[in-house]
Amino acid sequence: MLPPSDLTGFLARSIPFLVDNGWDVIPIKPGLKEPAIVRWERFSRTKATEAELRRWTTTMASHSIGIVCGRVVAIDVDVLDPHIANRVSGLITAILGPTPLSRIGQAPKEVYVYRAKDVIYSTTVATMGGAIDILGDRKQFVAYGIHPVTQRPYQWGDGGEPLDVRVDSIPEISAQDIENFLEDIRRRFPVSAAGEQPQAARRGSGGSTPT
């Protein structure tokens, strides 16, 4: 399902369903990737209170919606070359297994979402074809909203979306699984001068690049 292009009231209507499905959500500034609240990183480890959820749905009813990573991990294929993006997608499925949840903001860039078996820290592998971002503990990505570059709604794949898929039903991967995947990426793709770095070292936070 695509949210309405103006997002009027979408957050207010959707958050109860997302929370019921086990997702850790936060409001995002409309048309951006920046959280609309401070200290949002704490929701990697704790659930939002009823009072917080009520405040968001009443005062930010038409904001975009972000998913906080920690209990989940997102592999952000920040690659604009369709051939390379397709190769990386194949490696994700081959090494980590298929996930029903994938989200596109600016194609062919794509985000793949899994449950985290243990604490998975965020990192980036910068290849000559683009970056592979691991959005783990204390990061977030936009689940629903308007993409700042395309000016169109984010789209979820045919496997489903957080509004109708429970967190506990998606595949679980570990920090070691992520390391195995990244090691294969390093072997197959030339690493750029930026090399590899923790996500915190990149500009912005929580998937703030235009994916």
Side-chain angles (χ1 to χ4, degrees), residues 86-165:
N86 188 59
R87 287 179 61 195
V88 175
S89 175
L91 290 175
I92 290 173
T93 300
I95 297 171
L96 302 177
T99 175
L101 295 183
S102 63
R103 189 229 68 192
I104 292 177
Q106 182 183 10
K109 298 181 179 184
E110 194 159 3
V111 169
Y112 299 84
V113 185
Y114 295 83
R115 265 189 308 145
K117 185 176 183 179
D118 44 19
V119 177
I120 297 176
Y121 294 105
S122 303
T123 190
T124 294
V125 173
T127 74
M128 298 301 291
I132 312 300
D133 296 328
I134 306 301
L135 303 179
D137 193 51
R138 299 171 63 82
K139 294 294 177 180
Q140 59 86 17
F141 63 92
V142 181
Y144 296 99
I146 303 299
H147 191 277
V149 174
T150 67
Q151 293 299 302
R152 300 184 64 183
Y154 290 88
Q155 300 180 50
W156 289 89
D158 294 337
E161 58 181 290
L163 278 170
D164 53 37
V165 174

Side-chain angles (χ1 to χ4, degrees), residues 179-199:
E179 181 53 41
N180 293 342
F181 165 68
L182 292 179
E183 185 59 35
D184 205 64
I185 290 292
R186 297 181 196 105
R187 286 198 303 266
R188 293 172 184 267
F189 298 95
V191 176
S192 73
E196 184 168 348
Q197 53 189 300
Q199 268 279 326

Side-chain angles (χ1 to χ4, degrees), residues 41-58:
E41 297 93 340
R42 69 188 188 276
F43 297 119
S44 284
R45 305 293 178 86
T46 62
K47 293 285 187 181
T49 65
E50 289 295 329
E52 287 169 325
L53 294 171
R54 186 164 53 251
R55 183 167 63 252
W56 300 345
T57 56
T58 55

